[in-house]
Each structure stands twice: as structure tokens, then as C-alpha cells.
Amino acid sequence: THAHMGHYTGLLFFGFESMGARGVPVYAMPKMAAFLETNGPWNQLVRLGNIELRGLEDAVTVDLGASVTVTPVTAPHRQEYSEVVGFKIAGPTRTVLYLPDIDSWAAWDDQGTPIEEVLATVDVAYLDGTFWNQGEIPGRDMSGFPHPMIVATMNRLGSLPAAERDKVRFIHLNHTNPALREGSAEAREVRQRGFRIAAPLERVEL
């Protein structure tokens, strides 16, 4: 999705010192691809043929075969090193939105399509749930943290029909986020309000 460390460092396991993989297709936007091609140790993956970079363009659908397509969707988030995208992943019967990082829903709205309208076009939506609410990190002013709080997202989407709210799975939770703890009041609140926290090893059949 982008060049923040937690979102691409898994590539290292394809390298010479690990799997020694051959030709693993890696789909990336132009700046992300350039980042991997010009910065070590990632450029070694390209040079040794461990990975094969394949280009993406905003809103241009890629056919992966087996009736599965992926469409990158530009997301408003810090772009120090590359573009930031989410993905709409469509199969024969279901479609998933994967959006782990955005600055705010207001910034998303400014791109033209409110998240409510996008939600109506998918069956499951994995959304940025990095932080629970203001005050979560002691001694830090969180007003400038570039993520929508889970509470704010639930407040925004809370008037949607139950079936729409049930599509939402919060992901990308920070270690400080109390909703990570099964049985916490915050985790219960998410369920009570009709949303979900994504589960480890969760699968969505397409």
C-alpha cells in the first residue's frame, strides 16, 4: 500500500538471505516501485530477481486471474516516500475494501466519494482503526495523529443500517489501542454498535 515501514518490510523474507525466492510479483504504484528499485536492501531483491515489480495506477483495475481483480484507490495519508493506496479486491461473488491507513474521513471525502458510498459497493471493509480515541497515549497531543479514531468512525457510520455497519472490520490497531484486548469494554462497544475488530487469520471468501 505504501512505503511506511510496517507495510513493506515483509519483502525481506523473499531475499537471498532468507527464502531466495524467484520472480515473486510485487504490484506497486510508481513512486513505491521507484523506492524499491533505488534503495537498499530492497533494490537487491529486484537486481537478484527475487521479486518482479509490476506497475499500478490509481483506479486502474488489475486482473490477477481466477476471476480476481484488484483496483488501487489513492488514500490521503502521509506520503514522505511514496503514494498511499487502499485496494478494492473483487472476486466472482464478493468484494473487499482494504484501507489500513488514512489521515481522516474528511480528507477522504475531499477526493470525491464519501466512505459511506464506497461501503455500499463492497461486502467487507477493512478500515484504519489505529487508535481508539483521544487521550490514548499519555503525554501526547493526539490531535495531529493522521488516523481517524475508531470512536469517530463509529460515530460517523453509526446511523447506517445494521448490514452496512456489519461490513466494517477495524485493522491496523496500535499496541495502545484497548480494543485489541478481547473482553475489554472498548471491544464490547465495537460489537454492541454493530461493527467488528478483524480477527487473526480471518478469511473472506470471494
Side-chain angles (χ1 to χ4, degrees), residues 127-149:
L127 301 183
D128 184 346
T130 306
F131 298 111
W132 172 254
N133 206 359
Q134 299 290 343
E136 182 176 316
I137 301 180
R140 297 283 300 275
D141 175 11
M142 297 182 65
S143 61
F145 282 26
H147 297 279
M149 308 291 174

Side-chain angles (χ1 to χ4, degrees), residues 20-132:
R22 299 299 302 171
V24 176
V26 174
Y27 293 84
M29 295 286 282
K31 290 181 181 178
M32 183 73 221
F35 177 87
L36 295 172
E37 287 178 313
T38 58
N39 290 280
W42 318 108
N43 55 355
Q44 179 174 284
L45 297 172
V46 178
R47 180 166 47 84
L48 297 182
N50 303 125
I51 65 174
E52 178 186 306
L53 294 177
R54 300 185 182 181
L56 293 175
E57 298 178 47
D58 181 38
V60 176
T61 298
V62 174
D63 187 345
L64 298 182
S67 300
V68 176
T69 62
V70 176
T71 306
V73 181
T74 300
H77 189 58
R78 296 178 294 115
Q79 300 185 15
E80 296 97 335
Y81 302 109
S82 78
E83 314 91 340
V84 179
V85 295
F87 294 107
K88 286 185 76 172
I89 306 161
T93 60
R94 306 184 83 198
T95 300
V96 172
L97 173 67
Y98 178 72
L99 186 61
D101 262 322
I102 64 166
D103 286 345
S104 69
W105 295 122
W108 176 271
D109 291 345
D110 290 341
Q111 294 187 165
T113 306
I115 188 59
E116 292 87 346
E117 293 183 21
V118 178
L119 197 59
T121 67
V122 302
D123 298 285
V124 175
Y126 290 99
L127 301 183
D128 184 346
T130 306
F131 298 111
W132 172 254

Side-chain angles (χ1 to χ4, degrees), residues 5-26:
M5 284 189 291
H7 292 265
Y8 69 91
T9 48
L11 292 174
L12 64 89
F13 295 108
F14 296 132
F16 176 78
E17 302 88 344
S18 187
M19 288 177 62
R22 299 299 302 171
V24 176
V26 174

